[in-house]
């Protein structure tokens, strides 16, 4: 009864203007919902096959490039969500003005977006979405929602040496490290290294290659619920369109390599 009442109250409570912090080379700036909705470059965009809502969605959005004052294509950014999800984002695709284009979708308090699930909030107040994501191979981890902060930082490899493979690692392991940064680091740490506060460490105390034998680890990455059915599980499956079989082999090769390079935090 109490849960039902809280859910009802949540549904009836109007959203209020939210704030987004941009910590960029020119200095920090805070944007609020009203200012972004009135931004001169704001427009209505249709996002087909929305990664979060799994359908076509319509948003009022601002081209992210218009907000990244002072950012250059060679730099690196991180988008931090309210739940601790921390997406690592090379700046170059975010600055594109054609092809794959990044947009900051802004939730209008008077027109709230659908909840992510029953009793859950929406993807707002700020959600990074893409038009034509296939043009630059934009993956699902590059669609952070409930974004609270976007900041420039050195790359993950620079910030966290404990993530790096050995200097003599094979090209396949190095490729797997790049895939790990793109697809895994937003939720997980490894060797205690990383900014995410969402999922477990993938090397300490044990690496998944040490306890998921045979084809169980690839199966788990493809469809976690097929291996361990858990209603509270949050890890999405990674289809072959997102990570090919060859890339999955490289990713697992990196994890296996790092099992011999454990660093206690």
């Amino acid at each position: 009864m109490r849960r039902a009442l809280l859910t009802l109250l949540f549904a009836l409570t109007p959203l209020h203007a939210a704030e987004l912090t941009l910590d960029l080379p020119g200095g920090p700036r805070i944007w609020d919902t009203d200012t972004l909705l009135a931004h001169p470059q704001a427009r209505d965009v249709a996002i087909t096959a929305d990664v979060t809502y799994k359908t076509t969605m319509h948003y009022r959005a601002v081209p992210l490039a218009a907000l990244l004052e002072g950012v250059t294509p060679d730099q690196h950014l991180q988008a931090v969500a309210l739940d601790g999800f921390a997406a690592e984002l090379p700046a170059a695709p975010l600055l594109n003005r054609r092809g794959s284009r990044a947009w900051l979708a802004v939730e209008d308090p008077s027109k709230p977006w659908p909840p992510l699930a029953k009793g859950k909030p929406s993807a707002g107040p700020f959600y990074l979405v893409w038009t034509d994501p296939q043009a630059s191979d934009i993956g699902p981890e590059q669609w952070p929602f409930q974004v609270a902060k976007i900041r420039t930082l050195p790359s993950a490899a620079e910030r966290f040496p404990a993530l790096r493979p050995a200097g003599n690692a094979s090209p396949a392991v190095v490729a797997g490290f790049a895939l790990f940064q793109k697809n895994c680091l937003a939720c997980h740490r490894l060797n205690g290294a990383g900014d995410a506060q969402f999922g477990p460490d993938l090397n300490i105390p044990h690496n998944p290659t040490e306890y998921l034998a045979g084809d169980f680890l690839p199966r788990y990455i493809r469809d976690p619920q097929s291996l361990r059915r858990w209603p509270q599980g949050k890890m999405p499956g990674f289809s072959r369109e997102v990570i090919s079989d060859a890339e999955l082999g490289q990713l697992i090769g990196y994890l296996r390599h790092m099992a011999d390079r454990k660093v206690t935090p």
Side-chain angles (χ1 to χ4, degrees):
M1 181 66 179
R2 181 171 178 237
R3 175 177 291 183
L5 180 59
L6 288 173
T7 300
L8 178 61
L9 287 173
F10 173 82
L12 295 176
T13 300
L15 294 174
H16 298 286
E19 292 184 340
L20 172 71
T21 300
L22 297 184
D23 195 352
L24 305 177
R29 178 169 181 179
I30 296 177
W31 290 87
D32 63 38
T33 299
D34 293 339
T35 305
L36 286 167
L37 289 171
H39 192 282
Q41 295 191 46
R43 57 173 286 189
D44 295 326
V45 296
I47 304 296
T48 58
D50 185 284
V51 164
T52 300
Y53 285 108
K54 313 299 183 187
T55 188
T56 297
M57 293 292 292
H58 298 269
Y59 299 108
R60 189 69 177 169
V62 179
L64 192 59
L67 304 176
L68 298 181
E69 185 176 351
V71 176
T72 57
D74 60 315
Q75 291 182 307
H76 184 87
L77 292 98
Q78 183 188 71
V80 183
L82 294 171
D83 61 6
F85 183 95
E88 301 288 336
L89 303 163
L94 300 175
L95 298 174
N96 282 348
R97 296 186 181 273
R98 61 183 61 186
S100 296
R101 197 171 182 192
W103 298 82
L104 183 73
V106 183
E107 186 174 23
D108 187 336
S110 68
K111 302 173 184 176
W113 300 338
L116 296 173
K118 186 177 180 180
K120 299 290 185 181
S122 72
F126 308 108
Y127 176 22
L128 199 164
V129 301
W130 297 81
T131 48
D132 197 14
Q134 299 84 358
S136 296
D137 192 28
I138 302 301
E141 305 307 298
Q142 294 168 284
W143 294 64
F145 56 81
Q146 296 177 352
V147 176
K149 177 186 288 189
I150 298 175
R151 56 188 177 181
T152 50
L153 291 172
S155 70
E158 294 176 80
R159 299 195 323 268
F160 303 114
L163 296 174
R164 298 177 194 162
N168 62 352
S170 70
V173 168
V174 173
F177 178 39
L179 290 163
F180 175 83
Q181 293 174 78
K182 178 180 179 180
N183 297 288
C184 308
L185 197 55
C187 292
H188 296 280
R189 296 185 178 207
L190 189 144
N191 282 342
D195 288 321
Q197 305 287 337
F198 201 68
D201 193 295
L202 293 182
N203 213 30
I204 304 296
H206 298 292
N207 187 296
T209 63
E210 297 175 305
Y211 57 82
L212 289 172
D215 68 345
F216 282 108
L217 181 54
R219 286 171 57 189
Y220 183 76
I221 294 171
R222 289 284 184 227
D223 184 3
Q225 292 287 327
S226 72
L227 189 63
R228 180 180 295 143
R229 196 167 297 280
W230 182 39
Q232 286 75 38
K234 296 181 179 180
M235 178 173 166
F238 289 86
S239 69
R240 287 175 174 82
E241 288 72 30
V242 175
I243 302 178
S244 69
D245 287 338
E247 290 173 331
L248 184 57
Q250 293 169 341
L251 174 59
I252 292 173
Y254 164 73
L255 291 174
R256 187 173 291 116
H257 173 84
M258 296 306 291
D260 294 325
R261 291 175 59 81
K262 292 185 179 180
V263 177
T264 302

